[in-house]
Amino acid sequence: MKRIIYVALLAINMFNPVYGGDVSTLKVRHIANDMNILTINETNKYLLLPIQESAPEAKINVLINNKNIYDTSINVRLARENVDYYVPFDISEYSGTVRIEIQGVPADALCWKKISLSDTFDLENTEKYRPVYHHTPAYGWMNDPNGMFYKDGVYHLYFQYNPYGSIWGNMSWGHSTSTDLVNWKYEGVAISSDALGTIFSGSCVIDHNNTSGFGKDAVVAFYTSAKQTPWGDCQMQSMAYSLDNGKTFIKYENNPILTSSEKDFRDPKVFWYTPGKHWVMMLAVGQHMEIYSSENLKDWKWESNFGEGQGCHSGVWECPDMIELPVEGTKERKWVLICNINPGGPSGGSATQYFVGDFDGKVFVNDFPKETKWMDYGKDHYATVTWNNAPDGRCIAIGWMSNWQYANNVPTKQYRSVNTIARDLKLFRQNDNLFLKSEPCVEMAEARKESLSIKSVNVSKNESVLLTHLSDNGAYELGLSINPVKSQKVTFSLSNKNGDKVRMIYDVVNRTFAMDRTKSGEISFSNDFPVVTQMPVGKSKELKLRLFVDKSSIEIFVDNGKFVMTNCVYPSEPYDTITFECDGNRYKVNDLYVYKIK
């Protein structure tokens, strides 16, 4: 049952709504102990709920014949003293008088004066930090990407979603689609909570051969049902299937399909293992991964565990993935096990590690058991997973661009959290080791618009380049090659006229590249935000960089993805100037270019 219907007509603004219904049609009965009954005598599409993020959560139930029609209550932070924004609560499917029970809100709360009815809801962007070419939810909270698949020319992206506020809660699967991985269409809620619990992370597969019996080419979703009980949290694996290309899902009647006594037992990643002609499921269980097999997607057999003594164990392992990739310049192929961890990242908080080795359909063996390999060295790269059924043999990944240290507090209201740009994954060999290469997806080149290029800049004193109109929307790609000549350290910065500045430091001697966002703009929302992040870089005559800047983020790719750093920033205005600093030793900047995006 969908709780939200999205419309294109724009009439109600989230922050200052023009009420579309007569408040007199809403009647509130305040009962003892902050219990309230809201009666609606007129049928409208939406009940607009005023949200105050600092307020405690209230519980909302829709009553039909005095019975709650939802399996679980909806938690909403209804306004007590002030309104931060509004969210829509869909009531269009109910006929006649609608009664809504609201628990935990006092009679003198501001929400009773501000709540209203409307037939429309305004999805127009009102946030200065909302990116131009990165995916975001139209409104509400988003974290892990889920269930991505490609079918009939369309990329499907599901995500952990709270449609009732911009703070984590009410976990369901939101849904967006794209034909180019750059422009996204918001499709609403795809899978909502039920009696087994809220809907945590998972994956989708296309069942080409109808192994499940749901139908040829059915889209089958796997997710964690998470339920809080008086006896403790319970996490179990469930499935649902879609016969309309992922628009709607039918939940499997015999859910759950996998259970455990473990507290952390979640995030199923399912894929087809061709040599063995069976399905594989990977699950994150505390600080290890469990691997299962199945012939029909319904009945699963445990095969092995992976993780003890491997990689970083400073936090809980989450959101696993397993992919087979080619090694550049060879005919060799290797398996990569992706493991997201929180906390324990190289820059603090959440991050993504990976392992390279062999997989026989049942057991994964890490070729480099004494090493910890990081997919991204920035502060804001987590929950990275890949698309199922990607075209042309590509392996395409996307991550959540935030950090659990401050994700609920970043300075946005209408929405919270962003996805990284999509990245094409490959392996490359360096000496006797194998590493993951994350290239910006090829579609990003097709999103380029106007450009500026400078063949070379000889830096013997501070040199600034004004990006002019190419940066006026805060969304651009910047590329350059740095030849340090005799310099031991090369520093350049992106800045604006208000003094917001992000400094980049290339340490030639120690072969590191750092980004300093301590003066990048708004940083007061968390002590964990103003930091300097650092990554290793290879030895080369010139350091080749591609930077993707988009209003509230900077993604840095060294040597086209051999080393990557992703960080959020919140400048008061777009960065419109690049300045190359000189410490007295000359260096050279070659092939400088800027492309406006979208």
Side-chain angles (χ1 to χ4, degrees):
M1 180 183 294
K2 287 194 174 183
R3 297 174 182 166
I4 301 281
I5 296 178
Y6 304 94
V7 294
L9 183 62
L10 307 179
I12 303 300
N13 185 283
M14 296 187 70
F15 295 89
N16 187 24
V18 178
Y19 299 134
D22 184 353
V23 177
S24 65
T25 63
L26 298 175
K27 296 181 179 179
V28 181
R29 182 184 178 189
H30 301 297
I31 308 173
N33 299 320
D34 294 341
M35 173 75 78
N36 310 274
I37 300 292
L38 181 65
T39 302
I40 303 171
N41 295 314
E42 181 178 316
T43 302
N44 290 82
K45 189 177 291 292
Y46 302 118
L47 178 67
L48 298 181
L49 302 176
I51 304 300
Q52 179 184 337
E53 291 195 338
S54 61
E57 289 183 336
K59 293 188 177 298
I60 293 181
N61 301 301
V62 178
L63 305 179
I64 302 295
N65 295 324
N66 292 325
K67 293 182 179 180
N68 180 17
I69 66 167
Y70 293 148
D71 295 307
T72 58
S73 299
I74 298 169
N75 298 316
V76 182
R77 298 175 185 273
L78 290 173
R80 302 278 185 111
E81 297 85 25
N82 61 274
V83 178
D84 291 324
Y85 51 84
Y86 289 77
V87 296
F89 186 81
D90 184 15
I91 57 173
S92 61
E93 60 190 281
Y94 314 120
S95 58
T97 299
V98 178
R99 300 175 74 234
I100 297 178
E101 177 191 67
I102 301 177
Q103 303 174 13
V105 181
D108 61 352
L110 180 63
C111 64
W112 307 121
K113 296 179 180 179
K114 297 296 185 179
I115 200 166
S116 66
L117 294 168
S118 177
D119 285 323
T120 56
F121 183 67
D122 185 0
L123 297 182
E124 185 177 3
N125 179 35
T126 60
E127 291 273 358
K128 75 173 183 177
Y129 292 129
R130 188 186 289 273
V132 173
Y133 58 88
H134 288 77
H135 172 260
T136 60
Y139 65 93
W141 165 273
M142 176 185 77
N143 55 286
D144 308 350
N146 295 154
M148 297 115 66
F149 70 91
Y150 176 84
K151 191 171 187 285
D152 299 335
V154 178
Y155 292 93
H156 293 260
L157 168 61
Y158 301 88
F159 48 91
Q160 287 288 275
Y161 185 44
N162 180 9
Y164 302 110
S166 298
I167 292 179
W168 187 92
N170 302 304
M171 282 296 96
S172 57
W173 276 22
H175 183 203
S176 294
T177 56
S178 175
T179 58
D180 61 6
L181 293 171
V182 178
N183 299 283
W184 293 94
K185 179 184 177 184
Y186 191 54
E187 304 285 358
V189 177
I191 305 179
S192 296
S193 61
D194 55 30
L196 293 179
T198 54
I199 312 300
F200 277 16
S201 292
S203 58
C204 284
V205 298
I206 300 174
D207 189 5
H208 295 294
N209 299 318
N210 193 24
T211 63
S212 62
F214 295 139
K216 178 177 171 54
D217 294 328
V219 177
V220 186
F222 298 85
Y223 55 90
T224 298
S225 295
K227 189 167 187 174
Q228 292 182 327
T229 75
W231 306 276
D233 294 347
C234 180
Q235 297 185 354
M236 47 201 155
Q237 312 318 311
S238 296
M239 64 190 296
Y241 62 96
S242 173
L243 303 178
D244 58 5
N245 283 352
K247 184 178 181 181
T248 61
F249 284 87
I250 302 167
K251 291 176 180 174
Y252 180 47
E253 61 183 2
N254 291 322
N255 282 336
I257 57 173
L258 267 178
T259 61
S260 173
S261 60
E262 297 284 348
K263 176 184 176 182
D264 298 306
F265 181 70
R266 58 178 175 267
D267 308 340
K269 173 66 180 187
V270 176
F271 62 93
W272 178 254
Y273 182 71
T274 301
K277 296 182 180 180
H278 65 257
W279 297 98
V280 174
M281 178 189 289
M282 296 193 61
L283 284 169
V285 186
Q287 290 196 346
H288 71 272
M289 302 298 183
E290 294 187 357
I291 298 173
Y292 295 78
S293 67
S294 174
E295 295 181 356
N296 61 9
L297 292 173
K298 300 173 182 176
D299 303 302
W300 293 90
K301 176 187 175 184
W302 176 86
E303 298 289 357
S304 65
N305 290 352
F306 172 82
E308 185 176 356
Q310 311 279 327
C312 178
H313 286 269
S314 298
V316 176
W317 286 21
E318 295 185 305
C319 301
D321 204 340
M322 181 106 77
I323 47 180
E324 188 181 24
L325 295 175
V327 180
E328 280 189 326
T330 74
K331 295 182 179 180
E332 185 181 11
R333 297 180 69 85
K334 281 287 188 177
W335 285 86
V336 176
L337 191 158
I338 296 175
C339 168
N340 294 274
I341 183 171
N342 176 49
S347 297
S350 42
T352 305
Q353 62 180 328
Y354 68 93
F355 309 90
V356 181
D358 295 312
F359 181 61
D360 64 0
K362 297 180 180 181
V363 178
F364 176 82
V365 178
N366 180 17
D367 284 353
F368 309 96
K370 296 182 180 181
E371 299 181 16
T372 299
K373 300 175 187 285
W374 297 105
M375 193 171 181
D376 190 295
Y377 287 86
K379 193 82 172 172
D380 300 299
H381 178 274
Y382 190 60
T384 306
V385 285
T386 61
W387 262 272
N388 177 264
N389 200 48
D392 305 319
R394 295 167 65 187
C395 183
I396 309 171
I398 200 169
W400 177 52
M401 194 154 53
S402 194
N403 192 305
W404 281 116
Q405 289 181 330
Y406 44 72
N408 278 294
N409 305 112
V410 298
T412 61
K413 291 289 187 181
Q414 185 182 26
Y415 75 99
R416 273 204 180 88
S417 294
V418 185
N419 286 118
T420 66
I421 60 171
R423 303 172 183 186
D424 284 297
L425 302 185
K426 300 174 183 176
L427 286 169
F428 71 96
R429 187 174 294 279
Q430 184 170 295
N431 300 324
D432 294 326
N433 213 325
L434 287 171
F435 296 94
L436 191 61
K437 184 178 182 180
S438 302
E439 298 181 12
C441 68
V442 295
E443 288 80 2
M444 288 309 305
E446 299 168 5
R448 294 168 171 170
K449 301 301 180 185
E450 305 165 74
S451 65
L452 164 73
S453 62
I454 300 175
K455 186 64 177 175
S456 64
V457 179
N458 289 298
V459 183
S460 57
K461 57 182 178 61
N462 288 5
E463 299 278 358
S464 293
V465 177
L466 187 63
L467 305 181
T468 63
H469 66 286
L470 300 179
S471 63
D472 58 8
N473 69 343
Y476 52 91
E477 176 189 346
L478 170 66
L480 66 155
S481 295
I482 298 174
N483 183 342
V485 190
K486 294 183 179 181
S487 291
Q488 294 187 341
K489 188 173 291 186
V490 173
T491 302
F492 66 95
S493 62
L494 292 173
S495 61
N496 60 32
K497 65 182 180 181
N498 295 331
D500 302 332
K501 177 188 293 188
V502 175
R503 298 181 77 237
M504 316 288 181
I505 305 101
Y506 171 31
D507 188 327
V508 181
V509 176
N510 294 310
R511 299 180 193 169
T512 62
F513 186 91
M515 175 178 161
D516 180 350
R517 68 178 183 188
T518 58
K519 298 180 180 179
S520 58
E522 175 55 53
I523 60 173
S524 63
F525 56 89
S526 170
N527 292 332
D528 292 310
F529 190 83
V531 296
V532 179
T533 59
Q534 181 176 285
M535 63 178 163
V537 295
K539 182 180 180 180
S540 61
K541 183 179 179 180
E542 290 194 0
L543 187 73
K544 299 181 184 298
L545 299 171
R546 291 178 73 185
L547 283 71
F548 288 86
V549 181
D550 192 1
K551 284 197 174 181
S552 55
S553 65
I554 299 176
E555 293 167 271
I556 304 169
F557 297 83
V558 177
D559 292 338
N560 209 31
K562 287 186 176 180
F563 307 97
V564 187
M565 180 180 290
T566 301
N567 285 319
C568 292
V569 289
Y570 299 97
S572 56
E573 291 185 6
Y575 303 122
D576 60 4
T577 303
I578 180 170
T579 300
F580 299 98
E581 301 176 15
C582 182
D583 61 1
N585 293 310
R586 182 179 64 88
Y587 62 93
K588 192 173 183 180
V589 177
N590 295 318
D591 302 318
L592 173 65
Y593 68 80
V594 182
Y595 284 99
K596 188 172 186 174
I597 297 183
K598 293 181 69 173

